[in-house]
Every structure is written in C-alpha cells, then in structure tokens.
Amino acid sequence: MHGDASWHSPRNLSRSIPKTEWHPASWQSFEASQQASYPDKAALDRVIADLSRLPPITNSWEVDALKEYVAQAQRGEAFILQGGDCAETFDECTSENIVDKLKILLQMSLVMIYGLKKPVIRVGRMAGQYAKPRSADTETRDGKTLPSFRGDLVNRSGFTPDDRIPDPQMILRGYERAALTLNFVRSLIDGGFSDLHHPEYWDLGWVGHSSAASEYHAIVSSISDSLDFLETVSGRQFHRTQRAEIYAAHEGLHLHYEQAQTRFLDRRERWYNLTTHFPWIGMRTAQIGGAHIEYFRGIANPIGVKVGQGMTREWVQELVRVLNPNNEPGRLTLIHRFGAKAIEEHLPGLISAVRETGSPVLWVCDPMHGNTESTADGTKTRRFDKIISELESAFKVHESMGSYLGGVHLELTGENVTECTGGARGLTDGDLARAYKSTVDPRLNYEQAMEVAMRIAGLKR
Ligand code: PEP
Ligand code: CO
C-alpha cells in the first residue's frame, strides 16, 4: 500500500464518477497503480492484439449464472466459498495441483452445505491468478536493487536483471495456462468427478489418518445416506447438487490482460470480461478516480472489491455508486479484510455506510490478508487462531447489524504445506521451514482448511 500517497487522500473522493465514455481501454487515461513498466511498448501492443483475437476462457451464460448465485447469496439463500493460492505459478499448472485444489474446495463445500443447509457456490482463485500487487516497486538484496517480481503474468521470480524485466510474452503464456486449467476443471466436472454421490473421488492420497479427514468422512457418510434417502422417497435425483460447478476468479490487476479479453456481446448488449467469471479489485488498486475502478465499472461480470482499514464511509459509498449505479443484484461483492484486532471496530461503520447507498452487496470475509505477520526469522505467516477469530467476529458483527455474511475468501491448498501456524496439529514457527512452498502469502493446508470449513458449518466450536 505504501508508495500510494493518494490512498488516504480525501481529495480523490471529490473526483467522483468519471464522466468519460467507457470502453475497454478507457482506463488508460486514468492513473493505474501496480502496473508493470514494459520497456518495449510495441511488443506489448502486439501481444494485446494477439490476445484479443483468441477465443475467450469463459462465456456470458456462465458469468450471468454466477451473478445470479451471488444475488441469491446477497439474499441469504446461498453461501460463497472462494479459495485458492495467493498466486498461481506457471510451474504449478499440473494435473495434480489442479485436482488437489478441486478436491479441497469440493470437500469444504460439502461440509458447508451440510452444516449451513444452503447451496454453496465454489469459486476458485484459479485460472488467471497470476499477477500480484507489491508493496514496493523494487527489491534490494545484498546491496543490489531490481524491479519487484509481479507474478508470472509479468516477470520472473529469479533475482537477475533479465528475470525481472516485464516480458509481454508471459501474458500469452498466462492466458494459455488459465485456459488449460479451466479446460481440465471442466472436463473433470463433465466426467463426473464432482458428483456429490461420489465424494470418495475427492480423497487426497496423502491425508491418511488425520483428524480432519476422519471427521470429514463421518460427515460424508451421513450426507450420502440422506441424499440416497431423499432420492428414494422422492423418486427423483437432485440435479442441482449432483454435479458441483466451479467458477473462476482472479484479481483483475493487470489491466492490459483484462482489457484484451473484454467483449461486447450483442445478445446481452453489454461488455463482459471473459478471462474469468469473477474478477476482483485488490485493496491497493481501489482508489476512486483510478484506472482499475474505471475499467471495472464498464464490465457486466459479478465483481468483488477488497475493503479494509483506512477505507472511509465516503470512499466505500462512492465505490458502490460507481460500480453498481443501478443497484443491480449480484453485481457487487465487498470482501472485507480488517484483521482479527480491527474488524469489530471498523466493520459496523462500513456496513451502515453501504446500507445508506441502497445497493445490494454480498459481504464476504477474507480472514487472511489482515492477519499476515512475520516470524522472528522473517518468514511470512498467519496464525490459525487469528483467522478463526476474524471469521467469528465477522459472523457476529453481521448478525448484530442485521446483515448477512454470505461468503469467505481464503488462501488455501490441498497440499500438505506448513505456511500458517496453529490448527489441529498445533504447527509452530519452527515447523514452517518443513514444507513452506508459497512464494507470496502463506496458505491454509488441507487440515487447517477443513477445520475452517467445519467451524463455518457450525460443526465445531
Ligand atoms: C490477495 O488477495 O492476494 C491480495 C493481495 O489481497 P488484498 O488486495 O486484500 O491485499
Ligand atoms: Co494473498
């Protein structure tokens, strides 16, 4: 966030709703924070032109279907589970990784459906989560300073001048991997992998005798029994729950990438971002009058905005007005990330500010990004207890304000990593080095993620 002097400045608020005619590149006349600086502009333009010609990854039917689900969640009739890596990497675009991510999302959602007694909509931070905001434009190691690594969509993580030069070809490589990822997800779903009658497909080989796994299996058998029972007595199959859908989401940070796949659909008479279903605006790029808000106001997708400390009533109200001027249901999700210590003080004000706008919004809690800390040796981690505490506070505050917490946004993996401390196995700072794989933010591992799901489902105190 630092480096953005404009972040707290009330001056920006008075710039108000942009009056320009919107088009997919209109953001280019606005100040765009967190963008890479490409040395070869002509090469970038060629890539964007190439990308604009490629077929889209999603389509408007799917995007509109998700918007309808978000509208249901806004009314309290459904719950959204958003989760995945902080950043996907090109290297980790493998069948194992994709399957594991699917398995954990499916397992968590099954537990949540059971406990909440509501449909749970699964939205992966996947198939395009390749660009990252950075707190500084440069990184210094041993006296040497280079441009920061901004994610695989932009440059390379190695610490050499060559690695850090933004390379437009990586935009195309990222698009291809996003397409490969979603293609594989779709084929698994079509093939029956996500059939709720066969949760045994989702077992993770390595889990073995973990306590989270046995609790999960107990839940699964009672769900299977009740599904079978219901189908037997009603004489029909529950198509809605039979084949779980998975939607894709990523931070819409790299505006050239988003712009290139923004299509006008005559049938709908609206512009759609077809790189994904649900793009969101990060905390560092949500300035009123900034390029990201300009881009997002013109697309028809359901969108998210990360909100947190430092966001004033006026600011959040202006965001809602610019991004959802017609109070359209399903359009706008506010993902709050205050941190366990700050949420109870700051969330109520935000809820009442948004209520004054009259716009429906979906409230989602991200209990990860306000709770990042460093250990004594400088390892980035998150304490499981703080994650749970922020979630509990979120449910409590929304209930006391008469609003509905309709989703969670988590950084997690199906792998057996040690990146967050705490949880069922009581991981300590000393355990982190054992299996720390994230190059950016620390993720919940399988057991920690399942425990979060069980607590949300009310199956565990
Ligand atoms: C993220 O979701 O990885 C992220 C950078 O979050 P935020 O914008 O909330 O800091
Ligand atoms: Co993150």
Side-chain angles (χ1 to χ4, degrees), residues 48 50-57 175 256-263 272-276 295:
I48 300 312
D50 284 351
L51 181 50
S52 318
R53 278 192 298 272
L54 291 173
I57 297 179
Y175 187 72
H256 283 106
Y257 180 76
E258 310 301 331
Q259 170 201 320
Q261 275 290 340
T262 302
R263 303 274 163 89
Y272 282 79
N273 177 337
L274 298 181
T275 61
T276 189
Y295 170 75

Side-chain angles (χ1 to χ4, degrees), residues 85-87 125 129 132 306 369 382 411 440-441:
D85 299 313
C86 182
R125 280 178 69 114
Q129 178 56 18
K132 294 308 295 174
K306 293 282 201 94
H369 287 88
R382 289 163 174 156
E411 288 184 346
V440 265
D441 290 340

